[in-house]
Amino acid sequence: ILFNESVRARFSAYFQREDTFTLGVCNGCQMVSALKDLIPGAAHWPRFVRNRSEQFEARVALVRVEPSPSVLLSDMAGSHLPIVVAHGEGRAEFASEEARNACDASGTVALRFLENNLNVAEQYPANPNGSPSGITGLSSMDGRVTIMMPHPERASEAVLGNTDGLVIFESLLSRSLSLA
């Protein structure tokens, strides 16, 4: 995408449109974060690299939805959700401490891993990838692009015994209907 001028221009035009939204989950999170130069309000996003544990991590983790402009999550700020993680490269690596601080200051951190006592998870295993400040999801400044490492779609089926991830998609549906 970044190296083909025609494709890059199409993606850039898409991200400039005000009538679109994008959700990147896991590998999609990694891919969309690599496109941050094309996304308005995403300049300080991290790239996602190998977990500190040096292994694939697959389990249920607890996350908190942070106040952010995300069109998917903004109505859920303060919620605590058990969500599946399944990744080997989910650690947020910021270009600098200033970039990480800019994400915090701008309110674009959308999800953080939590300990069972609801404090931000800094340590393994509650923070399965080792990201600073438990960061595991971000939003663009205008909220139209959201990226996250956890898999809400894996916690959205009643047959699996957990529908907590479904609220993210229901939030989007209710927002879409109110805009129609």
Side-chain angles (χ1 to χ4, degrees):
I1 295 168
L2 296 176
F3 302 115
N4 180 306
E5 202 170 306
S6 173
V7 175
R8 181 185 181 109
R10 285 187 225 156
F11 271 79
S12 183
Y14 172 83
F15 289 123
Q16 297 295 325
R17 289 176 42 191
E18 294 184 9
D19 63 341
T20 64
F21 73 91
T22 301
L23 171 62
V25 173
C26 198
N27 295 109
C29 173
Q30 295 166 332
M31 187 201 97
V32 175
S33 72
L35 301 178
K36 68 183 182 178
D37 292 340
L38 306 180
I39 302 169
H44 299 296
W45 279 3
R47 65 188 190 119
F48 290 85
V49 300
R50 190 91 176 130
N51 297 335
R52 286 225 188 272
S53 66
E54 293 291 325
Q55 63 187 7
F56 184 86
E57 298 291 342
R59 70 171 70 91
V60 174
L62 185 61
V63 299
R64 178 175 62 221
V65 179
E66 299 291 287
S68 78
S70 170
V71 298
L72 285 170
L73 303 171
S74 61
D75 295 338
M76 299 172 56
S79 298
H80 305 130
L81 304 171
I83 294 188
V84 172
V85 294
H87 56 259
E89 297 175 332
R91 181 170 48 96
E93 182 180 75
F94 290 88
S96 65
E97 189 67 22
E98 292 77 24
R100 187 183 71 74
N101 291 338
C103 285
D104 275 328
S106 66
T108 57
V109 174
L111 293 173
R112 292 184 199 271
F113 287 119
L114 296 178
E115 298 283 353
N116 288 338
N117 64 6
L118 304 183
N119 289 330
V120 171
E122 296 281 352
Q123 302 295 319
Y124 183 88
N127 180 338
N129 53 38
S131 291
S133 303
I135 295 170
T136 191
L138 297 111
S139 171
S140 60
M141 294 289 290
D142 66 5
R144 293 183 304 105
V145 183
T146 302
I147 58 174
M148 64 180 71
M149 287 310 296
H151 288 269
E153 78 283 1
R154 293 188 184 182
S156 58
E157 290 289 331
V159 294
L160 299 176
N162 182 346
T163 58
D164 289 327
L166 187 59
V167 296
I168 292 172
F169 300 106
E170 288 172 342
S171 171
L172 176 62
L173 179 61
S174 67
R175 186 171 299 266
S176 296
L177 293 175
S178 68
L179 296 175

